[in-house]
Amino acid sequence: MAIDIYKINPEFRDIMPQEIIDLEEKATWAQNQDKPRGIKELPQSKELLEEHSLCAGCPEAAALRYVLSALPKPEETIIVNSTGCTSLMFPHIALHTVHSLFGNQNAVATGIKRVLDWRFPDTEKDVVVLAGDGATVDIGLDYTLQSFFRQENITTICFDNEVYANTGGQESGATPKGQVFKMAPTGKKFDKVPMWKLATTSGCHYSINMTASAPKAVAKAVREAILVAREIGPTFLNIYTPCILEIGLSANEGLGEMKEQDKDRFESYKYISPEAEEFLAKCKEEGRL
Amino acid sequence: MSKITDMTDTHNWSGQRLVTADELLFEAPREKHFMTGSEVLKEAVKRCTVDASVSYPITPQSEAAHLIGELWAEGYVGTYFRGENEFGVMSEVAGCAMAGARTITTTSGPGTLRAMENFAQWSGTRIPCQLILMARGINSPLTIQPDNLEVSYMLETGCQIWYAENVQELFDMSIAAFVVAEKPDVHVPIITVVDGFFVSHTREAVMLPADDIALFPYEPYKSPLPPIDSETPPGRFLRDPFVMKSNYISYATHASWQFEIRSAVERSRPYAEHFLDGLVHTTGSEDAEIAFVTCGTASHQAKEAERELMKLGIKSKVIKLRTIRPFPEEELITALEGVKHIFVPEFNVVGWLEKEVKKALYKKTEADIVGGPRVAGGMSMPAEAIIKEVMEKINPGKGA
């Protein structure tokens, strides 16, 4: 049995699709597992409904499952999202999620985290922002960076597909220079915003640029970033989850695209501040990683 | 800094004795003080067991946001910080309130419009936070003088809107506002408006209860939606993602939700009647054929005009609206019985209150409704201007 964070109303249980019942019974909660939860449990567990609303083969759906499997304490985790393809998935998971406005996710997360720390001083409650590049790097850049400057104890994950995908494929700040998209009919005029570097110089204690091609690597980064955010300060993950629709790939080509980019625009970048490094070493010693 | 764990059954984290709203507002002995509106707001927040407040530097219009910061430093407010700008701050307020905090902030003028998207979002998520709106001009050319045009933009956000005339009303209203906004059958945000400068910067006599008592804390688990704190299962689970993906669900959702928000505002009436002692206050001659329908400091100026008119042998009365949302339509119609000329003096050029009054009174009165006088930021509204408007109407061609 899962814990009480996600409960189907007993009156409606007999008409619920099996996968919703599975979401209640087979999610990998930290408190009801004999062994530490993690990416290895994905084949047997249910993190996200199969009938989610993203395109077939969308790398974001896989990436979200990796993220959810890696949360250190899902029953004490709030995910704040923003308008976009990512937000369409959140009704299909079993966690507390907040969708507010477009681009204000780090500001809303700030308020939530500050109040949870005030109301529950003796409980570790994690606040994780998960939004696309339009919300993180473009419209919401101010609020993202300001939360880093203020040293908010939140983890920000950007599912970078290099385009405003959900609104029909417009250029974003994360689009590579020269790419032709709607609103960039002759190609984008400036370079892709190196958000992972901005995060480093803006006060994040852990900043990564990666693709979602390797599930274990994503899960490790998520776990480390959340633990660092809980104890030290803001952390940031930039994860390439290409929009196969907008760049003209088939449903089975997303993984290949990510692997290609592992050595190009998304060549591995990882920054860990000295105090975060020390903290993570301690976590490893204690078996928290 | 204070700790929420210092709270007991009888005292809040700063050691103040917890009392009911009735005791705080009506029963506790009061003493006279001489304060500005901003200082009075600090005194109100001090007595409200406030969990969270967020501030920003540009357009709070007054020093009220600074003073709330001082309260936090003194241990009266749970958490307080400076946000990046108005849109960010109203988003942070949303986060604080969603997580179960009694939350307050203050804004004015252009900052209100910069944050505009948030106010409809606040009511849509049914958070009971309070915004103190110290109205100032919003138009170019830049002005820091008062105007209340931004209230017009707030009218359809789904929030409750109350309007205070002076520092005493600001104190009492801002306490009552939390209580009404947090009622489980209401539970929508509340905007308490005062005219900036005239109230925020003016020192007036005000009666305050002692500061060793404070409101009972906010109880987030009485909210119609569960707070975002991972202590209870998610309140809603959408089988379909968002309403825009299905016309039927979109219709069903908005048909129920948007009307429900507005119904919640209407359900605030009996509570507001109790705590505000009625939604309208009437002064002047009961049998007058001339009435001024006003809110805020325009009420003060209209009262002065009423006294001057009386010296000329002309009876009039001032009907001050204390709530704009809900709009006190029935109370206004009752107060206007026997009136032949209605004047709506306003501190803005568009005449939003005149429109509200005309909408409420359409086919319900035979009285003339005059939208004026109007001043447009940057000046007070002299009683002479109001008297001139009246005399030109009732004594055409001869003026005042």
Side-chain angles (χ1 to χ4, degrees):
Chain A
M1 287 290 289
I3 61 166
D4 280 349
I5 191 162
Y6 174 68
K7 280 287 188 189
I8 297 169
N9 186 327
E11 298 290 321
F12 298 130
R13 196 178 182 86
D14 59 337
I15 59 166
M16 279 291 159
Q18 184 59 42
E19 63 171 351
I20 290 187
I21 294 171
D22 287 349
L23 195 62
E24 184 191 65
E25 294 179 346
K26 295 183 183 172
T28 54
W29 305 111
Q31 286 184 1
N32 67 347
Q33 297 294 305
D34 296 332
K35 55 187 178 181
R37 67 193 302 276
I39 197 86
K40 287 179 187 168
E41 293 177 27
L42 275 183
Q44 292 83 41
S45 65
K46 177 76 74 176
E47 308 288 347
L48 171 68
L49 299 184
E50 275 84 12
E51 274 189 46
H52 62 70
S53 46
L54 299 189
C55 304
C58 175
E60 272 193 4
L64 181 66
R65 293 191 72 199
Y66 307 157
V67 169
L68 295 175
S69 74
L71 298 175
K73 255 175 111 177
E75 62 272 30
E76 300 286 5
T77 302
I78 311 286
I79 295 184
V80 184
N81 62 80
S82 195
T83 312
C85 290
T86 47
S87 60
L88 297 178
M89 294 186 287
F90 287 103
H92 299 152
I93 67 174
L95 268 67
H96 271 269
T97 64
V98 175
H99 172 259
S100 185
L101 302 173
F102 197 91
N104 74 344
Q105 61 279 350
N106 281 61
V108 173
T110 296
I112 291 173
K113 178 62 177 165
R114 295 237 183 181
V115 164
L116 293 183
D117 286 349
W118 161 247
R119 290 186 58 213
F120 304 96
D122 304 322
T123 308
E124 291 168 335
K125 288 186 183 279
D126 298 320
V127 176
V128 176
V129 168
L130 210 171
D133 50 290
T136 308
V137 182
D138 236 59
I139 290 177
L141 180 62
D142 183 3
Y143 310 101
T144 306
L145 292 181
Q146 293 277 357
S147 73
F148 299 162
F149 299 151
R150 290 194 307 260
Q151 292 291 292
E152 304 295 345
N153 289 93
I154 57 182
T155 294
T156 303
I157 301 173
C158 175
F159 276 176
D160 181 0
N161 57 17
E162 304 191 307
V163 65
Y164 283 91
N166 190 247
T167 48
Q170 297 87 9
E171 164 199 331
S172 85
T175 301
K177 187 175 182 178
Q179 178 84 39
V180 173
F181 268 142
K182 290 156 197 161
M183 297 187 183
T186 59
K188 191 190 174 207
K189 302 298 183 196
F190 62 97
D191 283 327
K192 179 181 177 70
V193 175
M195 191 60 202
W196 49 96
K197 290 181 187 169
L198 291 180
T200 298
T201 55
S202 303
C204 280
H205 293 267
Y206 187 101
S207 176
I208 271 189
N209 188 36
M210 68 193 313
T211 76
S213 63
K216 280 186 189 172
V218 173
K220 182 171 184 283
V222 168
R223 203 173 185 90
E224 288 181 344
I226 291 176
L227 289 174
V228 169
R230 194 189 282 173
E231 296 288 331
I232 310 290
T235 56
F236 177 74
L237 309 180
N238 196 72
I239 304 177
Y240 182 47
T241 54
C243 177
I244 51 178
L245 186 74
E246 291 298 339
I247 59 175
L249 297 179
S250 301
N252 62 349
E253 293 176 321
L255 180 59
E257 163 66 13
M258 289 191 287
K259 281 186 172 168
E260 263 183 40
Q261 290 305 327
D262 280 340
K263 292 180 180 59
D264 192 11
R265 296 193 303 283
F266 293 88
E267 184 185 12
S268 177
Y269 170 95
K270 186 171 187 177
Y271 166 79
I272 309 179
S273 72
E275 51 195 314
E277 188 110 49
E278 193 181 325
F279 171 72
L280 287 174
K282 190 177 151 211
C283 288
K284 202 159 190 178
E285 276 175 26
E286 294 169 353
R288 298 169 75 186
L289 280 173
Chain B
M1 296 302 123
S2 54
K3 292 179 185 169
I4 198 169
T5 46
D6 292 336
M7 178 96 82
T8 68
D9 289 342
T10 56
H11 290 75
N12 68 12
W13 51 77
S14 60
Q16 293 165 298
R17 184 170 63 84
L18 296 169
V19 298
T20 64
D22 275 21
E23 183 175 344
L24 184 58
L25 286 168
F26 303 132
E27 297 157 17
R30 293 194 175 204
E31 283 185 8
K32 197 173 192 177
H33 297 263
F34 196 57
M35 289 181 176
T36 65
S38 300
E39 290 165 346
V40 153
L41 180 62
K42 177 185 180 182
E43 294 302 318
V45 173
K46 190 178 187 179
R47 291 159 176 83
C48 282
T49 313
V50 168
D51 294 288
S53 186
V54 194
S55 66
Y56 52 94
I58 298 300
T59 58
Q61 167 73 359
S62 69
E63 69 270 31
H66 319 164
L67 298 176
I68 296 173
E70 287 180 12
L71 279 181
W72 168 69
E74 293 163 12
Y76 289 97
V77 172
T79 184
Y80 169 92
F81 59 102
R82 181 191 66 77
E84 54 274 63
N85 58 44
E86 295 86 343
F87 180 81
V89 165
M90 299 313 161
S91 304
E92 281 138 15
V93 164
C96 290
M98 285 175 187
R102 178 176 286 162
T103 310
I104 192 169
T105 192
T106 172
T107 188
S108 72
T112 316
L113 270 62
R114 181 172 288 178
M116 201 67 198
E117 191 180 3
N118 283 276
F119 304 124
Q121 190 270 339
W122 283 3
S123 62
T125 42
R126 301 287 300 272
I127 51 174
C129 60
Q130 180 171 191
L131 171 73
I132 304 291
L133 175 54
M134 294 182 165
R136 62 171 266 201
I138 57 173
N139 267 101
S140 283
L142 182 66
T143 174
I144 56 169
Q145 299 299 324
D147 188 342
N148 58 15
L149 188 49
E150 65 264 54
V151 182
S152 170
Y153 291 82
M154 304 293 265
L155 290 175
E156 312 310 338
T157 55
C159 299
Q160 297 175 82
I161 298 175
W162 291 2
Y163 217 122
E165 179 189 355
N166 50 39
V167 292
Q168 184 69 63
E169 284 195 347
L170 175 61
F171 177 82
D172 293 329
M173 268 194 185
S174 53
I175 293 172
F178 278 127
V179 181
V180 174
E182 291 167 7
K183 292 286 180 187
D185 54 340
V186 179
H187 220 274
V188 283
I190 189 157
I191 297 165
T192 306
V193 188
V194 291
D195 293 324
F197 274 100
F198 295 147
V199 177
S200 55
H201 292 60
T202 305
R203 206 169 284 280
E204 286 179 38
V206 56
M207 300 297 289
L208 303 181
D211 63 3
D212 60 350
I213 56 173
L215 272 186
F216 269 100
Y218 173 50
E219 174 44 85
Y221 299 113
K222 288 183 179 172
S223 161
L225 292 174
I228 303 295
D229 60 8
S230 279
E231 295 295 307
T232 46
R236 284 174 293 170
F237 181 75
L238 304 178
R239 188 70 182 82
D240 250 19
F242 290 161
V243 294
M244 77 281 256
K245 296 294 177 188
S246 154
N247 285 343
Y248 173 73
I249 292 177
S250 178
Y251 165 74
T253 301
H254 283 277
S256 59
W257 196 244
Q258 293 204 21
F259 284 109
E260 160 57 14
I261 291 164
R262 281 146 185 84
S263 299
V265 172
E266 290 301 310
R267 290 196 295 269
S268 71
R269 283 176 185 275
Y271 305 115
E273 277 169 9
H274 173 70
F275 288 112
L276 301 182
D277 190 24
L279 305 188
V280 304
H281 284 186
T282 304
T283 50
S285 306
E286 271 188 27
D287 58 343
E289 294 185 348
I290 294 169
F292 302 104
V293 180
T294 60
C295 61
T297 52
S299 315
H300 184 83
Q301 301 305 103
K303 286 176 196 170
E304 195 176 325
E306 183 270 325
R307 288 190 293 270
E308 293 301 317
L309 286 167
M310 183 59 95
K311 290 177 191 170
L312 300 172
I314 301 169
K315 288 181 179 177
S316 64
K317 60 178 165 184
V318 179
I319 303 163
K320 178 172 72 175
L321 310 183
R322 308 195 75 208
T323 66
I324 308 297
R325 290 286 181 274
F327 192 82
E329 183 178 317
E330 285 181 19
E331 292 86 345
L332 180 60
I333 290 169
T334 304
L336 284 170
E337 273 176 22
V339 168
K340 290 183 179 170
H341 303 287
I342 300 168
F343 296 86
V344 188
E346 292 190 64
F347 274 95
N348 65 82
V349 293
V350 304
W352 60 262
L353 185 58
E354 179 208 344
K355 292 174 190 166
E356 289 290 311
V357 169
K358 282 185 170 168
K359 188 170 73 176
L361 298 182
Y362 182 65
K363 290 190 174 178
K364 290 173 184 166
T365 180
E366 290 179 358
D368 290 332
I369 303 174
V370 178
R374 291 180 194 159
V375 294
M379 67 176 288
S380 176
M381 183 187 295
E384 291 80 0
I386 301 174
I387 294 167
K388 187 179 173 196
E389 194 83 37
V390 172
M391 297 307 279
E392 284 180 353
K393 181 71 184 173
I394 64 170
N395 204 11
K398 295 182 181 174

